[in-house]
Amino acid sequence: MDVITDKAELTELLTEWRRAGDHIALVPTMGNLHAGHTSLIDQARKHAERVVVSVFVNPTQFGPDEDFDEYPRTLDRDTRRLRKVRADVLFVPNVETMYPFGLEQASTVSVPFLADKFCGSHRPGHFDGVTSVVTRLFAIVQPDVAIFGLKDYQQQMVIRRMTEDLHIPIRIVSAPTVREDDGLAMSSRNSYLSEEARATAPEMFKALNRAADEIRQGETDFDKLEGLLMNTLSDKGFQPEYAAIRRASDLSRADSSTAELVILAAAMLGDTRLIDNVLVTR
Ligand code: AMP
């Protein structure tokens, strides 16, 4: 596996592959890779002969009081892990490569509406940062397909919308959430959790599943269920930001006839922000 920091070098390699008729899949990450990330690489393999993984801790998607500085950077370990799962290339650009005109003068891609609610309203500017960096990665790599985790449900919706709306000829594939044995969704941020918080963290997935069960058993008062979810999270020691039951296809409000739903939640647990979601089919 090649580890490439230089854009021109990457382009040369990609051109060779394309000339040989290979399809290219892109798996964008911020590193500190875990089994959730490697599951995306497994998915990528199903869609393309060549898999490019990027590791870039993108400054524009962090708010001023967020964890950009603390975010775990574990490139050596990530490289070893990617060699084991046989990724074809690891692209590790620096800020100058990704934002050639500097962060202040960087062009921005925004997806209004979809990106304004939920995580977007609690992390102003976050999704603009995500879409702006993903657009750059798409333009540099020009993959046939790009893989995103359902763990970040709203993110993959926003990226799907952006890709479709801007006529970007890349297929977006979403991959299921990989969890620890106790149900906690794997996340690079789980390493921030204290022992006590780590023991509490799986309660979020449990609460989401209980709400999903209620819906399957016929509950249609989603406002009530959202309120219960917020209360449960508070009772368990979280500081919930939102709990929402929405149409899975576009995050709009669901009603009693909606067949495919997603239940989303975000909460602080101590200093760590956790998000999770479950899909419900009725
Ligand atoms: P990140 O490095 O956290 O920016 O995540 C990079 C990609 O991995 C995103 O598409 C995430 O949705 C995905 N991802 C993160 N955690 C998981 C997980 N537990 N299961 C599946 N995909 C994940």
Side-chain angles (χ1 to χ4, degrees):
M1 182 190 73
D2 291 301
V3 181
I4 295 181
T5 53
D6 184 59
K7 178 178 130 177
E9 199 183 321
L10 179 71
T11 304
E12 205 176 302
L13 186 63
L14 295 171
T15 307
E16 253 174 55
W17 289 346
R18 263 185 224 105
R19 226 177 258 144
D22 289 348
H23 297 94
I24 294 163
L26 171 66
V27 179
T29 82
M30 297 206 299
N32 192 234
L33 303 180
H34 49 66
H37 295 113
T38 52
S39 79
L40 304 189
I41 297 164
D42 297 340
Q43 286 286 333
R45 282 255 166 268
K46 296 182 188 160
H47 298 275
E49 291 80 19
R50 299 288 187 176
V51 178
V52 179
V53 179
S54 63
V55 168
F56 179 65
V57 184
N58 173 37
T60 65
Q61 71 188 71
F62 289 81
D65 299 325
E66 292 187 354
D67 56 340
F68 176 70
D69 289 333
E70 293 80 47
Y71 199 84
R73 289 157 170 89
T74 53
L75 192 59
D76 288 346
R77 194 152 55 79
D78 292 348
T79 308
R80 286 198 295 276
R81 189 157 200 155
L82 289 173
R83 288 216 157 95
K84 270 197 198 134
V85 298
R86 300 185 177 282
D88 293 283
V89 63
L90 167 57
F91 180 47
V92 194
N94 60 22
V95 172
E96 290 71 31
T97 299
M98 293 306 285
Y99 296 95
F101 294 93
L103 294 177
E104 273 189 12
Q105 292 188 37
S107 304
T108 303
V109 181
S110 278
V111 178
F113 200 75
L114 255 189
D116 294 339
K117 44 195 170 188
F118 311 130
C119 285
S121 65
H122 289 273
R123 303 183 70 188
H126 168 67
F127 284 123
D128 284 1
V130 170
T131 42
S132 298
V133 81
V134 168
T135 303
R136 285 167 167 77
L137 288 167
F138 282 0
I140 293 170
V141 178
Q142 297 176 34
D144 299 280
V145 52
I147 323 290
F148 293 88
L150 285 168
K151 153 82 171 38
D152 299 280
Y153 193 86
Q154 188 179 8
Q155 171 174 280
Q156 56 85 39
M157 294 275 329
V158 166
I159 288 165
R160 276 178 185 282
R161 171 64 66 81
M162 173 191 84
T163 308
E164 205 178 324
D165 194 26
L166 299 181
H167 307 276
I168 297 174
I170 296 173
R171 194 150 54 91
I172 306 299
V173 169
S174 302
T177 303
V178 177
R179 300 179 179 280
E180 304 286 357
D181 289 343
D182 59 10
L184 175 65
M186 289 191 183
S187 163
S188 303
R189 290 194 167 94
N190 291 348
S191 62
Y192 300 155
L193 295 167
S194 67
E195 206 176 313
E196 194 192 346
R198 175 63 189 81
T200 303
E203 295 296 335
M204 180 183 271
F205 183 52
K206 281 190 198 151
L208 290 168
N209 275 324
R210 277 196 294 270
D213 283 343
E214 299 259 344
I215 293 171
R216 285 190 206 99
Q217 283 158 25
E219 179 62 77
T220 53
D221 188 344
F222 300 141
D223 289 343
K224 184 182 91 184
L225 271 185
E226 288 174 1
L228 280 172
L229 251 174
M230 293 290 278
N231 288 340
T232 306
L233 289 171
S234 298
D235 291 348
K236 297 287 179 190
F238 295 81
Q239 291 138 277
E241 287 183 358
Y242 65 82
I245 298 166
R246 290 292 183 273
R247 218 176 271 273
S249 58
D250 60 4
L251 296 181
S252 65
R253 288 194 82 83
D255 60 34
S256 54
S257 68
T258 312
E260 306 275 341
L261 298 159
V262 60
I263 313 176
L264 311 139
M268 296 299 294
L269 185 57
D271 293 332
T272 307
R273 187 172 185 276
L274 298 176
I275 62 171
D276 203 349
N277 66 84
V278 299
L279 288 158
V280 193
T281 305
R282 299 193 292 175

